Amino acid sequence: VESLERGFDRLHGLVQRVAKRQAIAMPAHAIARFEGLVSGDLPVAEAISEPDAAVVTETPDEVEVQAPIASEAPVVAPSPRPAPRPLPRFEEEEIQPRAPQEMIRVRSDLLDSLVNYAGEVSIYRSRLEQQISTFRFNLVEFETTVSRLRDQLRKLELETEAQILSRYQREAEATESVFDPLELDRFSQLQQLSRALAESVSDLTSIQGLLDDLTRQSETLLLQQSRVSSDLQEGLMRTRMVPFDSLVPSLRRTLRQAAQELGKRAQLKVEGAQGEMDRNLLERMKAPFEHMMRNALAHGIESPEERLIANKPLDGTVGIQVSREATEVVLRVSDDGRGLDRDAIRRKAIERGILKPDVQLSDRDLYGFILETGFSTAETVTQLAGRGVGMDVVHNEIKQLGGSLAIDSRHGVGTTFVIRLPFTLAVTQAILVRLGEGTYAVPMSSVQGVVRIARSDLDRRLAEANPSYAYAGEDYLIYELSNLLNVSQSRISDETQMPLLMTRTGDQRAAVRVDAVIGSREIVVKSVGPQISSVPGIFGATIMGDGSVVMILDLAPLVRRHAALRERVAEGEIATPAPIMPAPTPAVVARRQPLIMVVDDSITMRKVTTRVLERNEMDVVTAKDGLDAVEKLQEKVPDVVLLDVEMPRMDGYELATYMKNDARLKLVPIIMITSRTGEKHRQRALEIGVERYLGKPYQEADLLRNLQETLRLSRA
């Protein structure tokens, strides 16, 4: 086996020379040695020791062709039996279609740009979907307006006919007339206008129906396009994925060459090599892997004599295990060598002045020193070790890819490096969550579930030392997303149920509290550049339908970092600068901007009032009638309600009565804005408990002055 491996290395070297258009030689000595080994003329021990010289030697004027080696095989292989040449007809027909498919080669940069273009198409599609949904909403408003116009026109016709008949009766008493009042010329103009208005309403209805059909067709087309776009995106991504297997031969070769240089023996074992990874990720990780192979031999694997004394197999084992956990690819690089020398690392750290002699550190923290720049425990400088350039470069490369590196070592048993890298996909399913005024996306693959918990229950749990929540028979530690991201925390005062995202990565289980869960979306993952990608916890970014940029969070590293900080605080290694979990906050927290609810059946009035309020730094929520307002009041309690009187389904008086009889809403001030300015209407509103009563059309300054006074009084 060793002879074959060395022969393979020799062939690989020759192929590389051919690729560089350099002259190569016919390795006659190596071929003769192998022929002697096969025929039994040459002892195995001599074949292992001798041919190496022939394999390694290389003269510039040598010329080598791979065909002779291939031609040796039939000579050596016993082939006296005749090959079954004539195949049955049906077998030939079966075999023929299985010819290898035609392959084409595509430049990697072209493939990357195609993936980006497909991502852009998905973004534009999502923006179109949002615009169509807005159009659909406005169509519903249009339908409501046409319906209201039809009712008003019917009332106008009835009122007109009543007035005509009334006038005719009065005139008939004075003079006798043989004409019907509707036939008289003086009434014809009013009747014509009324009939023309009725026709216009019918036209509006038909236009609304046409627009509705067009919108429905557009929605169907967008749905079909989303399926095709998803297939295109997945196909392009599959072309960019390569199996980890493609890297294994190179790693085996690196390990063999390092073993020969050091006079050691080692084998590479790979598990899960069929797993696919992003080509860019694999290319960038090739050099770090090769360095870790050489490092395992130089520092970890013992010499055959030492392994014999330690009752270990003469051949050391370097293992690579590839697996996938949620949004991460986990690579475990291990060896069965002597393990990291704790005392040597400590001694070197003290020599370099990065550790004080009296400080006692845990093994985990001590092993972290080997990731420092220029740090090496090798006594002598060789081609493989002692230069101090190594694990720091590996660590930096992993960090730039948005991954993490953990070290675990046992003396005399071996060392394991656990590398976690993001599994970069161009399109992924994500859950959109809201924290304060910001929106974030969390990949669906890392979320086990979403639960809602009563605020009182959550506050009680947060008061404990290690708050946790039981889900699916397992305990999940509770974390605040605001603490994980280190952003200011703002709780909305009127939410009684708080959502928790249940995430799990490996053994790490966490329930992350957010302000709200917006829903699940298919998002396009965009690169955020090297400046932000090195920040732990940022998986990438995406562009939403309205053009806004939303960060995609990778909760696993955020939770791991926070958990490590919590452990260090618990062990007393560091003083806690701030509480790990915030103390339970009071039920009512003052908003930074007042929230105003505008309830009016006129879309124009809603839009105009919303613009006026937003221009003056107020948050606005709108409702088109009383019933719509009741639904929205279940979700959030505004600071002030601006209320119209005449509305379909539930008018302003009924809504005001409902609010004043509800314990949760009775303290919310109401300002009525209506065209009914009579004393009777005003008096009824004040009896219900309405604070202010304004007439339409209102002056902007007058509305703002009343709003500010009402807000000041309610806060007082």
Side-chain angles (χ1 to χ4, degrees):
V1 171
E2 196 165 338
S3 296
L4 288 172
E5 285 180 347
R6 290 182 181 182
F8 176 79
D9 289 342
R10 173 68 171 142
L11 284 172
H12 183 263
L14 294 171
V15 170
Q16 282 186 322
R17 287 184 66 84
V18 171
K20 295 175 186 173
R21 299 186 179 278
Q22 294 176 344
I24 55 172
M26 170 73 75
H29 296 297
I31 294 171
R33 297 285 180 184
F34 277 110
E35 285 176 349
L37 184 64
V38 171
S39 61
D41 298 340
L42 192 69
V44 175
E46 195 180 341
I48 292 174
S49 57
E50 295 273 349
D52 193 47
V55 168
V56 175
T57 54
E58 183 179 292
T59 56
D61 57 346
E62 289 177 330
V63 176
E64 187 267 340
V65 180
Q66 201 167 351
I69 295 185
S71 65
E72 295 294 335
V75 175
V76 176
S79 57
R81 58 186 178 190
R85 297 287 296 178
L87 286 171
R89 185 70 189 159
F90 68 89
E91 281 192 25
E92 282 181 5
E93 286 173 0
E94 251 184 47
I95 291 167
Q96 212 141 11
R98 294 183 187 175
Q101 289 186 345
E102 195 175 332
M103 305 287 284
I104 59 167
R105 299 183 71 174
V106 182
R107 293 199 323 273
S108 60
D109 57 341
L110 175 62
L111 197 59
D112 291 342
S113 61
L114 286 175
V115 171
N116 287 336
Y117 294 149
E120 294 294 334
V121 167
S122 296
I123 289 169
Y124 294 139
R125 192 200 73 238
S126 66
R127 295 186 75 165
L128 268 175
E129 283 175 350
Q130 184 147 341
Q131 288 179 2
I132 288 286
S133 67
T134 308
F135 189 67
R136 167 69 67 190
F137 172 78
N138 287 326
L139 262 182
V140 173
E141 293 284 345
F142 182 51
E143 186 181 5
T144 309
T145 307
V146 169
S147 164
R148 193 167 68 244
L149 180 61
R150 190 186 288 112
D151 290 342
Q152 290 167 350
L153 185 60
R154 192 178 294 114
K155 289 175 184 174
L156 175 66
E157 287 178 347
L158 292 172
E159 189 71 26
T160 305
E161 288 183 13
Q163 287 190 7
I164 290 171
L165 290 171
S166 171
R167 186 170 182 180
Y168 166 69
Q169 285 172 355
R170 285 202 308 271
E171 289 182 355
E173 291 173 4
T175 61
E176 289 186 9
S177 175
V178 293
F179 288 103
D180 187 270
L182 297 179
E183 294 173 351
L184 297 179
D185 291 341
R186 58 185 169 179
F187 297 125
S188 64
Q189 189 67 25
L190 189 58
Q191 287 300 111
Q192 284 172 8
L193 284 172
S194 176
R195 294 288 176 268
L197 278 173
E199 287 176 10
S200 299
V201 170
S202 299
D203 292 344
L204 283 174
T205 308
S206 64
I207 290 170
Q208 185 256 328
L210 286 171
L211 289 174
D212 193 45
D213 288 343
L214 281 172
T215 309
R216 194 176 295 112
Q217 290 172 19
S218 301
E219 287 170 345
T220 308
L221 280 173
L222 276 174
L223 186 64
Q224 291 170 348
Q225 194 207 359
S226 73
R227 290 172 185 156
V228 175
S229 184
S230 298
D231 290 344
L232 169 68
Q233 193 86 39
E234 286 173 14
L236 282 171
M237 282 311 300
R238 277 201 301 273
T239 60
R240 224 168 59 160
M241 304 300 282
V242 290
F244 187 81
D245 238 343
S246 60
L247 198 61
V248 173
S250 171
L251 295 179
R252 287 193 195 283
R253 209 161 42 247
T254 303
L255 192 68
R256 281 200 303 274
Q257 289 169 357
Q260 285 174 14
E261 287 179 32
L262 293 168
K264 296 179 180 181
R265 297 173 62 174
Q267 293 293 329
L268 178 65
K269 288 189 178 177
V270 183
E271 292 180 35
Q274 291 76 27
E276 291 189 325
M277 289 176 66
D278 194 298
R279 176 183 51 78
N280 299 336
L281 201 68
L282 203 58
E283 281 180 4
R284 289 186 63 178
M285 281 304 296
K286 183 180 177 182
F289 270 129
E290 288 178 349
H291 180 83
M292 293 175 84
M293 296 288 102
R294 290 192 284 265
N295 225 28
L297 275 167
H299 294 283
I301 303 288
E302 309 95 334
S303 63
E305 296 80 16
E306 291 176 31
R307 293 183 71 83
L308 203 59
I309 296 168
N311 287 328
K312 289 184 177 181
L314 290 180
D315 285 3
T317 303
V318 178
I320 298 178
Q321 189 182 359
V322 184
S323 60
R324 174 135 183 236
E325 290 180 5
T327 58
E328 296 177 322
V329 176
V330 182
L331 303 153
R332 288 180 171 83
V333 182
S334 58
D335 64 70
D336 62 348
R338 61 172 70 93
L340 294 178
D341 192 338
R342 191 180 186 284
D343 297 331
I345 295 171
R346 183 179 177 82
R347 188 169 59 250
K348 194 72 176 180
I350 293 170
E351 278 177 24
R352 291 192 57 192
I354 54 179
L355 177 66
K356 293 180 181 176
D358 55 342
V359 175
Q360 294 298 322
L361 287 180
S362 64
D363 286 356
R364 184 188 60 202
D365 293 330
L366 201 59
Y367 296 152
F369 283 122
I370 70 170
L371 305 177
E372 294 290 328
T373 305
F375 194 96
S376 178
T377 57
E379 300 297 331
T380 57
V381 178
T382 66
Q383 194 68 19
L384 295 182
R387 292 170 295 162
V389 179
M391 289 308 296
D392 59 323
V393 178
V394 173
H395 189 224
N396 287 337
E397 186 69 23
I398 291 168
K399 272 206 304 188
Q400 283 181 11
L401 291 171
S404 65
L405 175 64
I407 306 166
D408 184 30
S409 180
R410 289 174 62 193
H411 186 67
V413 177
T415 307
T416 303
F417 294 90
V418 181
I419 303 166
R420 295 177 182 272
L421 296 169
F423 186 79
T424 50
L425 278 176
V427 174
T428 184
Q429 291 288 332
I431 293 178
L432 294 181
V433 298
R434 196 177 71 242
L435 180 68
E437 295 175 2
T439 304
Y440 301 95
V442 179
M444 187 86 79
S445 54
S446 65
V447 178
Q448 298 288 310
V450 179
V451 299
R452 296 184 74 82
I453 182 173
R455 164 170 285 172
S456 56
D457 188 15
L458 178 65
D459 289 341
R460 179 181 58 76
R461 290 173 190 267
L462 289 177
E464 299 169 2
N466 286 315
S468 64
Y469 183 87
Y471 177 78
E474 294 179 326
D475 285 337
Y476 287 71
L477 288 176
I478 299 176
Y479 296 88
E480 296 270 1
L481 185 58
S482 55
N483 283 355
L484 296 180
L485 297 175
N486 197 19
V487 297
S488 58
Q489 185 178 357
S490 61
R491 283 192 178 176
I492 298 174
S493 60
D494 50 358
E495 288 193 0
T496 55
Q497 296 280 325
M498 309 303 293
L500 293 177
L501 283 185
M502 318 305 286
T503 67
R504 177 174 183 169
T505 306
D507 296 332
Q508 190 81 54
R509 292 184 294 275
V512 181
R513 191 200 74 80
V514 295
D515 284 346
V517 176
I518 299 170
S520 64
R521 302 272 168 86
E522 185 182 74
I523 60 170
V524 179
V525 180
K526 307 292 281 184
S527 171
V528 289
Q531 296 89 350
I532 301 177
S533 62
S534 59
V535 177
I538 294 181
F539 185 69
T542 187
I543 302 172
M544 302 309 294
D546 58 357
S548 61
V549 176
V550 170
M551 286 292 171
I552 305 169
L553 298 180
D554 192 4
L555 293 176
L558 291 172
V559 169
R560 275 198 297 271
R561 187 181 63 174
H562 210 272
L565 179 65
R566 182 187 289 182
E567 281 178 20
R568 293 176 69 186
V569 170
E571 292 167 5
E573 290 181 26
I574 58 171
T576 174
I580 294 297
M581 285 288 125
T585 53
V588 178
V589 179
R591 287 189 184 90
R592 275 182 277 179
Q593 292 183 342
L595 179 65
I596 313 297
M597 177 177 274
V598 178
V599 188
D600 200 308
D601 61 333
S602 166
I603 187 170
T604 309
M605 280 301 298
R606 291 204 301 273
K607 283 185 175 176
V608 169
T609 311
T610 299
R611 284 177 189 154
V612 168
L613 298 176
E614 285 179 345
R615 206 163 49 234
N616 287 274
E617 296 183 347
M618 297 182 189
D619 293 331
V620 183
V621 59
T622 60
K624 59 187 176 185
D625 57 35
L627 279 180
D628 190 25
V630 168
E631 288 176 13
K632 291 183 176 174
L633 285 168
Q634 302 302 318
E635 298 173 10
K636 49 186 68 180
V637 179
D639 294 311
V640 178
V641 173
L642 301 182
L643 187 58
D644 186 23
V645 171
E646 292 176 299
M647 293 182 295
R649 299 201 297 176
M650 180 188 275
D651 64 26
Y653 292 131
E654 291 170 333
L655 178 60
T657 307
Y658 166 80
M659 288 178 63
K660 294 303 176 184
N661 290 330
D662 190 322
R664 197 168 63 96
L665 304 170
K666 66 180 180 182
L667 296 177
V668 177
I670 300 173
I671 300 178
M672 272 196 169
I673 305 176
T674 176
S675 54
R676 300 281 185 175
T677 53
E679 187 59 35
K680 181 174 70 173
H681 297 93
R682 183 189 297 270
Q683 195 60 39
R684 185 181 172 194
L686 295 175
E687 285 172 4
I688 293 171
V690 172
E691 276 71 16
R692 304 285 172 109
Y693 197 94
L694 301 179
K696 285 183 185 177
Y698 60 81
Q699 294 294 322
E700 186 178 320
D702 193 25
L703 173 66
L704 291 172
R705 180 176 52 78
N706 276 281
L707 259 177
Q708 297 293 352
E709 288 176 5
T710 308
L711 284 168
R712 194 167 53 249
L713 286 170
S714 69
R715 283 171 183 162

